[in-house]
Amino acid sequence: MHKIIAVSIAATILASGCFGKEQQNAPTISNNTQQEMPSSVELEVIVENLNIPWSIEKQGDTFYLTERVGSIVKIEGEKVERQRVVLEKELSTASEAGLLGFVLAPDFSELSLAYAYYTYDDRAGQFNRIVTLHLEDNVWREQSLLLDQIPSGTYHHGGRLKIGPDNMLYATTGDASKREIAQNLQALGGKILRMNLDGSIPTDNPFPNSYVYSLGHRNPQGIVWTTDGTMYASEHGESRNDEMNLIEAGQNYGWPIIEGREEQEGLHAPLFTSGSQNTWAPSGMGYANDKIYVAALRGNAVLEFDVTTNEQRELLTDFGRIRDVFIEDNDLYFISNNLDGRGNGQEGDDKLYRVSLSQFE
């Protein structure tokens, strides 16, 4: 049985120690019983002892979670295992880098194929690349290279991968701490990229012979589509002024010329921003019932944005840094990232949680 915990939204979960990046505890299924608390929300801890998880994917009843240190955790019922990932390049250990975005191919059940985004080091320098991974005998192996030498620096690697409703592969890329490249159409950094599933450039991309779908981004880490196909992306601002943008093909989202609530002709201001006094550090995104849910790292929350009323609120807090969310059948899953070197590790961190959205209606 998974652990069911009833937690007051205003309550604080006390940290019980700080764990470093090198923690390698085996991931485990939680088995504690339900705790009763008044005026509370019920949550389920599905798995504990994850090692800096970054992306949540699900096929049927099976979860696949990437871990930044270079592994994938498979969760199937009461069974959990950490699967090895064999890459062609040496995985970078730079801050924020590693095995990041991950998405299962539409025909994964037949071909055991997935797409991944990772940061690597070689003689030429530090870069990000998008590859396919093939799963065989519980080992993921890099099979083919789709796009290489995406800029990478001290920080701001981007890294989110998603397959859109148009069956295209989208990737978010950071400015690699070189802000000027976000406005350079010849550079892959500071962009949202779009490609065919074989890695080729779609003929209907907004810029000829270019992967660039939108530009002027600082460090976007989340993308999602509503049921009508509208695309949104989350983006880290410079210390504050984090953004949630409505994304349109070929448009410029301003970085580093504008940010937050600033406006300038020809540049798109965000739909929502944390403003100059607050920070979210938003990451993965999910959508359900006309609302967008965003994982917040420095905000230590799951944020909810109502795109019909333009209202926003903190849906869940007190779980530390939240890296990604996944929504299915009105259940919201989210992963903590308290072991990434910037959080306060709690006993059992990092964890995969589940909460029913019906509790917030």
Side-chain angles (χ1 to χ4, degrees), residues 287-322:
Y287 172 79
N289 304 321
D290 294 326
K291 297 180 178 65
I292 292 173
Y293 299 88
V294 182
L297 294 159
R298 291 188 64 183
N300 290 340
V302 175
L303 307 174
E304 179 190 82
F305 299 92
D306 191 320
V307 294
T308 60
T309 64
N310 289 327
E311 296 176 319
Q312 65 184 73
R313 63 170 172 166
E314 290 185 346
L315 190 76
L316 292 165
T317 60
D318 301 322
F319 297 92
R321 294 167 62 81
I322 308 301

Side-chain angles (χ1 to χ4, degrees), residues 1-2 28-31 44 46 75-80:
M1 179 184 297
H2 297 157
T28 55
I29 294 287
S30 294
N31 56 10
E44 179 180 10
I46 297 177
I75 307 156
E76 188 173 21
E78 298 295 315
K79 182 180 179 182
V80 57

Side-chain angles (χ1 to χ4, degrees), residues 319-339:
F319 297 92
R321 294 167 62 81
I322 308 301
R323 173 63 70 180
D324 196 18
V325 297
F326 179 90
I327 300 174
E328 183 179 66
D329 298 331
N330 214 38
D331 285 335
L332 183 142
Y333 301 86
F334 63 97
I335 46 176
S336 61
N337 243 193
N338 294 318
L339 305 181

Side-chain angles (χ1 to χ4, degrees), residues 128-139:
N128 296 294
R129 58 174 12 195
I130 300 171
V131 302
T132 62
L133 298 178
H134 182 254
L135 176 63
E136 186 175 3
D137 297 327
N138 283 329
V139 177

Side-chain angles (χ1 to χ4, degrees), residues 7-316:
V7 180
S8 169
I9 293 299
T12 299
I13 296 180
L14 299 177
S16 59
C18 185
F19 299 85
K21 183 177 178 179
E22 300 304 318
Q23 187 216 24
Q24 289 287 342
N25 290 343
T28 55
I29 294 287
S30 294
N31 56 10
N32 290 17
T33 56
Q34 182 172 338
Q35 304 171 20
E36 294 294 338
M37 294 178 63
S39 303
S40 60
V41 173
E42 287 189 358
L43 298 104
E44 179 180 10
V45 181
I46 297 177
V47 171
E48 304 178 318
N49 296 316
L50 298 169
N51 199 357
I52 321 177
W54 215 89
S55 293
I56 305 172
E57 274 288 279
K58 192 169 184 282
Q59 171 79 18
D61 295 327
T62 304
F63 286 94
Y64 296 93
L65 314 178
T66 57
E67 295 182 309
R68 235 179 62 195
V69 294
S71 47
I72 292 175
V73 174
K74 177 184 178 182
I75 307 156
E76 188 173 21
E78 298 295 315
K79 182 180 179 182
V80 57
E81 59 183 321
R82 180 172 277 132
Q83 299 176 318
R84 191 160 60 98
V85 180
V86 179
L87 302 171
E88 295 295 323
K89 296 287 189 176
E90 182 179 353
L91 197 65
S92 174
T93 59
S95 180
E96 303 179 6
L99 179 58
L100 306 176
F102 178 79
V103 61
L104 300 174
D107 52 3
F108 173 74
S109 59
E110 289 82 34
L111 299 181
S112 300
L113 196 71
Y115 302 88
Y117 183 113
Y118 73 92
T119 318
Y120 70 90
D121 293 299
D122 67 9
R123 293 180 180 178
Q126 180 180 297
F127 300 97
N128 296 294
R129 58 174 12 195
I130 300 171
V131 302
T132 62
L133 298 178
H134 182 254
L135 176 63
E136 186 175 3
D137 297 327
N138 283 329
V139 177
W140 296 87
R141 297 183 186 276
E142 183 172 333
Q143 185 178 71
S144 60
L145 173 65
L146 301 187
L147 184 61
D148 202 358
Q149 295 198 331
I150 298 169
S152 176
T154 307
Y155 304 106
H156 306 169
H157 314 288
R160 190 65 59 189
L161 290 182
K162 292 288 182 182
I163 295 176
D166 54 2
N167 207 39
M168 298 289 179
L169 181 65
Y170 290 77
T172 68
T173 68
D175 68 4
S177 304
K178 299 174 183 176
R179 55 173 59 196
E180 67 277 2
I181 71 173
Q183 291 294 322
N184 181 357
L185 270 175
Q186 304 309 310
L188 294 174
K191 311 293 191 298
I192 294 177
L193 309 179
R194 178 177 182 257
M195 66 183 69
N196 294 309
L197 296 183
D198 64 1
S200 61
I201 298 173
T203 56
D204 60 348
N205 267 10
F207 304 103
N209 301 313
S210 173
Y211 289 102
V212 175
Y213 189 74
S214 63
L215 67 155
H217 300 288
R218 183 174 181 269
N219 191 25
Q221 287 193 359
I223 42 181
V224 75
W225 290 264
T226 59
T227 50
D228 65 1
T230 304
M231 182 179 180
Y232 296 89
S234 65
E235 181 170 338
H236 292 208
E238 188 173 27
S239 76
R240 294 177 174 82
N241 292 306
D242 299 312
E243 300 180 355
M244 207 265 277
N245 288 292
L246 191 160
I247 303 297
E248 297 177 335
Q251 298 305 305
N252 189 329
Y253 291 83
W255 175 254
I257 302 168
I258 64 170
E259 64 173 337
R261 294 187 174 90
E262 296 174 342
E263 296 183 1
Q264 185 170 315
E265 186 176 356
L267 304 177
H268 279 246
L271 189 63
F272 296 94
T273 176
S274 66
S276 59
Q277 302 302 314
N278 298 301
T279 183
W280 298 328
S283 193
M285 306 173 74
Y287 172 79
N289 304 321
D290 294 326
K291 297 180 178 65
I292 292 173
Y293 299 88
V294 182
L297 294 159
R298 291 188 64 183
N300 290 340
V302 175
L303 307 174
E304 179 190 82
F305 299 92
D306 191 320
V307 294
T308 60
T309 64
N310 289 327
E311 296 176 319
Q312 65 184 73
R313 63 170 172 166
E314 290 185 346
L315 190 76
L316 292 165

